[in-house]
Amino acid sequence: MSTAMYQATFLYAVELTGAAIGTTVALGFAPFATGLFAWWWAGQKPDRRWLIGTLAAVLGCALILAPSGEVRVDAMGVVFAVVSGCCYGAYTVSAKRFINTGIAPTATIAITLVIGGMLLAPLIVWRSEHLLEPNTLLFVAWIGVIGTAAAYLLFGRGLNLISATVAGTLSLVEPLTAALLGVLVLGESMTPFMMLGSVLLLTGILVISLPMEDRRRRPAKGAADTEEVATPKTLPAGRRTSTMP
């Protein structure tokens, strides 16, 4: 259900309020929705480091996607974008819980995509006037194979190795990748806001991704030696010690 609703509400949000605003709201809300669902369903309370890193990444995402011209804000489009972000968070946490039960990531992704596709299938009949056009078929093939199947498969494999909350924040790399491809492939230029956003986004991702040394369970230096020296050794029965040289 969350897979189907995420795809549908995201596309409606982009159609109503534009790509920049729709994508910013949906992607910016998704990491926090993931953290809330992980806390609610799995009891994984987000820590301070995740919160700081996610805030920096979301702010960077907003700067990268900030519209340069006239801004078109549609209230219903924003609602669709928020629902899309919530569905993304619900899907991420649900998929992680399925994988933790021992189900293979490939099977988990396949099951969710098939069910989501079946739920969205009636929309094909509703808007089928351009479905058989060559450009539409090529677009659907590209989106279906590369943009959906391959992307979700890699997402599932990554989700098998990291937590759902970290995966939700790492998804914010998407606008940075799009911006870099625009510069390298299309010859676009990066604005100062986009550069600042890229730095903030990468900083936030590094904050939540780099492992932190856990000192709570590590004994203090020399503690083991001190304990060994201070602990008296048990002598065999019948033997006595003497303090005389």
Side-chain angles (χ1 to χ4, degrees):
M1 179 65 75
S2 59
T3 307
M5 289 188 63
Y6 166 70
Q7 300 291 342
T9 53
F10 178 76
L11 293 178
Y12 277 119
V14 171
E15 181 181 5
L16 292 175
T17 194
I21 299 299
T23 305
T24 301
V25 174
L27 291 182
F29 202 80
F32 296 104
T34 305
L36 290 176
F37 281 119
W39 189 3
W40 181 22
W41 291 346
Q44 300 174 358
K45 185 177 181 181
D47 57 12
R48 183 179 302 177
R49 184 173 68 136
W50 175 85
L51 183 60
I52 294 174
T54 301
L55 285 172
V58 169
L59 180 58
C61 174
L63 291 175
I64 293 174
L65 296 174
S68 56
E70 182 181 355
V71 179
R72 181 184 59 175
V73 179
D74 183 271
M76 186 56 64
V78 173
V79 171
F80 277 127
V82 171
V83 173
S84 177
C86 291
C87 291
Y88 181 89
Y91 172 80
T92 302
V93 177
S94 299
K96 179 63 175 179
R97 295 187 68 180
F98 273 117
I99 293 173
N100 287 342
T101 61
I103 302 176
T106 304
T108 300
I109 299 303
I111 293 171
T112 57
L113 290 183
V114 168
I115 296 176
M118 292 174 61
L119 293 174
L120 292 176
L123 297 179
I124 299 177
V125 180
W126 181 33
R127 302 288 297 271
S128 60
E129 59 269 16
H130 302 292
L131 184 60
L132 297 180
E133 294 180 0
N135 291 336
T136 303
L137 293 176
L138 290 175
F139 178 76
V140 170
W142 172 262
I143 293 297
V145 176
I146 305 299
T148 302
Y152 271 86
L153 179 62
L154 294 175
F155 179 79
R157 292 185 178 274
L159 196 59
N160 189 36
L161 303 175
I162 60 178
S163 66
T165 53
V166 173
T169 305
L170 291 179
S171 65
L172 295 176
V173 176
E174 178 183 341
L176 177 60
T177 305
L180 292 178
L181 288 176
V183 173
L184 298 176
V185 178
L186 302 178
E188 298 177 353
S189 59
M190 294 190 71
T191 65
F193 280 111
M194 294 176 66
M195 295 180 183
L196 177 60
S198 301
V199 172
L200 284 174
L201 180 55
L202 291 175
T203 302
I205 289 174
L206 287 175
V207 167
I208 68 168
S209 300
L210 293 179
M212 292 185 64
E213 185 179 4
D214 191 357
R215 301 178 181 274
R216 290 176 299 179
R217 298 182 180 180
R218 177 174 296 182
K221 184 177 181 181
D225 298 335
T226 303
E227 183 178 356
E228 182 178 355
V229 172
T231 303
K233 297 182 179 180
T234 304
L235 297 176
R239 293 187 57 184
R240 298 181 179 179
T241 57
S242 174
T243 57
M244 298 297 294

